[in-house]
Amino acid sequence: MNEMTRLERFRAEVPRPGLSDLQAEERRLMGAMVDPAFARPASAAVRPRRARRLKFGLAAGLAAAAVTAGVVAVSPGPGRKPLGSPVIHTMPVAAVQILQRAADHVDKAPELHPRPGQFLVFDSRTMNPVDTISNGRAAHYLSRAKRTIWLPVEGDATHGVLWTQGLVPLPYPGWPIPPEAREEAGRSSLGKAADVDHRAEWLRNDFAYLSRLPADPAKMYEHLYTHLGNGSQADAQAWSNVGGMLTEAYMPAPQRAALFRAAAAIRGVTTVGKAVDAAGRTGIAVALVVPGSGIRDEYIFTPKTYQYLGQRSVVTDAAQAGAPVGSVLTSTAQLTVRVAERAPAINGH
């Protein structure tokens, strides 16, 4: 069953509004985005705002927001026809202070100004789980590596170059490290960053695309939810989209600030405090538990300047994740970001 069908069936007992009702409500919402007083009588202007349950098409009975900062309707994206009425997302007031402070501090770091034809270069450390067969038996371990990637200012990863060097692996919780895994340490390689890149247009993270995104938090929130419905799964995907715009990606300070403020408004995002990235640097983290996975996805920031350090995934449910609670299964550390005129040649090219 696809996402749209699940949304259709959820709260199916709520009557669908008529076209005139939808048009009236659309006028109210659009007016409220320009002038909040448009949406309520003058006598209510000084009253605290209360939750309002929206009942539009696929969003019927789904959206009940507390105090709101703005309302956005997620569009189907370029070249896509809407499936029924747009899903309406209400952007709550951002309450996660770490992300708010990260937005306030975006101008504390030197700003890069890459030009078309140049490359953004990211130096990082990574740790990822590996599942393999060793001597006819299943084996699991945590692969670690140094990583430098050259990504074009405009264009996808198929035009990029990747250098990696293996580091000593770590055991996956409860499993011994297979002998062949240790052979990775010290080995290096240089090649294309990707052979294919099938990401949708709205998931692009090259600088040219990210620099065109809105600097308004409510519109950035809308972008994060492009093609997503309502509910915890949509929130988790929106949170993942944030990571795609932070890791091995760079955007101008205004868009970066908007991203942090929009991310702070995603339902389910919390502060988890101390966290260590893949390079051993200690920071403070914000996180969201991915429904049904038993995993908490964290983004880590420095505790003083609130600069982005990296991300990691931590087990919150041992039965669902298949590892003890507190286990770190993936981890990254973004060490440096710089601009280069060109990427290294590969095989003489």
Side-chain angles (χ1 to χ4, degrees), residues 41-248:
S43 60
V46 296
R47 298 176 188 170
R49 296 186 189 181
R50 295 184 178 182
R52 178 179 178 85
R53 189 172 299 275
L54 306 179
K55 299 180 180 180
F56 304 165
L58 296 178
L62 295 180
V67 182
T68 60
V71 180
V72 292
V74 176
S75 67
R80 293 287 191 98
K81 294 183 179 180
L83 298 176
S85 301
V87 175
I88 303 300
H89 283 279
T90 302
M91 180 178 168
V93 167
V96 183
Q97 288 190 352
I98 291 176
L99 289 166
Q100 294 281 47
R101 290 171 182 167
D104 292 338
H105 284 72
V106 293
D107 59 351
K108 303 300 182 183
E111 186 77 359
L112 300 179
H113 300 281
R115 302 187 307 272
Q118 293 181 320
F119 288 78
L120 280 161
V121 187
F122 302 89
D123 296 305
S124 62
R125 301 287 185 273
T126 62
M127 182 183 77
N128 293 287
V130 174
D131 302 324
T132 186
I133 301 296
S134 178
N135 297 322
R137 295 183 179 181
H140 309 277
Y141 65 96
L142 299 175
S143 175
R144 299 169 60 241
K146 294 180 180 180
R147 177 180 171 102
T148 299
I149 190 168
W150 290 258
L151 292 171
V153 168
E154 184 170 16
D156 62 34
T158 60
H159 303 288
V161 173
L162 174 65
W163 174 86
T164 61
Q165 183 180 65
L167 298 173
V168 176
L170 295 178
Y172 190 93
W175 291 79
I177 300 176
E180 64 271 19
R182 301 184 188 276
E183 298 174 3
E184 295 178 0
R187 289 182 176 176
S188 62
S189 65
L190 179 71
K192 288 184 63 175
D195 290 323
V196 294
D197 189 338
H198 294 314
R199 283 177 294 184
E201 175 75 10
W202 61 91
L203 294 177
R204 283 177 54 185
N205 67 350
D206 56 296
F207 178 82
Y209 179 79
L210 294 180
S211 63
R212 295 193 295 267
L213 292 180
D216 174 71
K219 292 181 179 179
M220 183 66 78
Y221 186 86
E222 175 182 359
H223 175 74
L224 292 176
Y225 280 87
T226 301
H227 284 293
L228 300 179
N230 283 293
S232 59
Q233 292 289 351
D235 297 332
Q237 183 58 54
W239 185 243
S240 177
N241 292 346
V242 172
M245 298 160 71
L246 289 175
T247 300
E248 295 183 343

Side-chain angles (χ1 to χ4, degrees), residues 259-326:
L259 175 65
F260 292 144
R261 296 190 196 283
I266 295 174
R267 288 170 290 271
V269 176
T270 59
T271 299
V272 296
K274 180 180 177 181
V276 179
D277 70 10
R281 300 175 299 180
T282 299
I284 49 179
V286 287
L288 185 144
V289 175
V290 180
S293 71
I295 297 291
R296 182 178 68 227
D297 281 346
E298 301 180 355
Y299 302 138
I300 308 170
F301 296 82
T302 60
K304 292 184 179 180
T305 63
Y306 299 95
Q307 301 302 304
Y308 175 68
L309 291 178
Q311 62 186 93
R312 68 178 190 169
S313 62
V314 182
V315 174
T316 59
D317 187 305
Q320 289 182 332
V325 171

